[in-house]
Amino acid sequence: LDVPPPQETLHSSAAPNDCQSLSPAASGPQKVGLRDVHVSMALMQDFLSFARRNTARGIETCGVLAARLSPETSTFIVDTLIIPKQTGTSNTVEMYSEEDVLAVHLERELYPLGWIHTHPTQSCFMSSVDVHTQCGYQTMLDEAVAIVVAPTDARRRVGIFRLTTPGGLKLVQGCDRRGFHAHGDTHTRQPLYELSGHVYLNERAHHKVVDLR
């Protein structure tokens, strides 16, 4: 692929003071069979910095989470935040030039561990559009997660979510509707999505930001 060189910066994950209000990553139910995922609070804070201009205007911003797999512990370490080309509104965000994102994964031998996006004017939840985006990532890799950052939500600024399995994932995989719409009950009576119980905050990690915009 003929892709122009991206902007890249290296960051330590020592958390700034205002990261203390981020929700614990391990607040969801523990998951048997899923490999652990480590992500730093500083990565989330860096994402908020990249999103600040859009957030001030009430426009959503997204990023892609990429990880390496530790051969010693079989743990996914999210060590790369990719900021793709994108267009956003007050309640949606869509990335384009996805081949550029794929090229970063292939060149650096990274796993697609999901995505992160803002809800600048809404609460911390996954919309019917969000669950379809998450379905694509989670179909590729069961450990993939969706991080939602809602700066104005006083109850939960950050949520780390995944579709329930098998119920939520199977329901969305079988749904061909687009845009905002209601989903029915899962065949297992599980909720559509849940907080992730296999994700842990790792303050000692380093991460890189690859800005493709």
Side-chain angles (χ1 to χ4, degrees):
L1 293 176
D2 185 14
V3 178
Q7 298 288 325
E8 179 180 304
T9 50
L10 177 66
H11 302 260
S12 168
S13 67
N17 291 336
D18 58 354
C19 274
Q20 300 307 316
S21 61
L22 293 177
S23 301
S27 57
Q30 297 299 309
K31 288 297 174 183
V32 177
L34 290 179
R35 289 165 289 190
D36 289 346
V37 174
H38 287 193
V39 62
S40 72
M41 297 195 324
L43 182 147
M44 300 180 206
Q45 188 64 41
D46 278 346
F47 172 70
L48 283 175
S49 296
F50 278 94
R52 183 177 294 119
R53 183 177 179 184
N54 278 350
T55 300
R57 297 184 294 160
I59 296 174
E60 292 193 5
T61 304
C62 73
V64 176
L65 306 172
R68 58 182 173 83
L69 181 63
S70 169
E72 294 83 11
T73 63
S74 293
T75 297
F76 286 109
I77 311 294
V78 180
D79 64 357
T80 304
L81 169 64
I82 305 170
I83 308 295
K85 295 182 177 68
Q86 59 192 272
T87 181
T89 69
S90 61
N91 54 22
T92 63
V93 63
E94 183 177 0
M95 69 176 181
Y96 55 94
S97 297
E98 296 183 20
E99 65 275 10
D100 295 355
V101 177
L102 176 61
V104 175
H105 283 87
L106 294 176
E107 290 167 3
R108 302 171 187 230
E109 299 182 338
L110 298 171
Y111 290 84
L113 249 293
W115 63 307
I116 182 171
H117 76 291
T118 55
H119 278 184
T121 62
Q122 301 182 74
S123 59
C124 189
F125 74 106
M126 286 229 287
S127 71
S128 58
V129 174
D130 295 341
V131 298
H132 277 268
T133 301
Q134 174 59 18
C135 180
Y137 286 106
Q138 203 168 320
T139 297
M140 289 190 293
L141 189 63
D142 202 22
E143 288 84 358
V145 297
I147 302 179
V148 180
V149 185
T152 61
D153 189 337
R155 294 185 305 167
R156 182 187 298 278
R157 283 187 61 207
V158 174
I160 304 180
F161 302 110
R162 69 186 301 270
L163 299 177
T164 58
T165 51
L169 183 61
K170 186 173 182 179
L171 177 64
V172 181
Q173 285 174 333
C175 176
D176 59 3
R177 298 180 66 184
R178 293 295 178 263
F180 293 103
H181 58 277
H183 289 97
D185 294 332
T186 65
H187 74 286
T188 58
R189 298 298 176 180
Q190 294 171 287
L192 184 60
Y193 65 89
E194 63 189 358
L195 290 169
S196 300
H198 66 296
V199 182
Y200 299 88
L201 298 178
N202 183 347
E203 297 185 22
R204 295 185 300 274
H206 288 76
H207 67 275
K208 296 177 180 178
V209 179
V210 180
D211 191 350
L212 298 174
R213 294 175 298 175

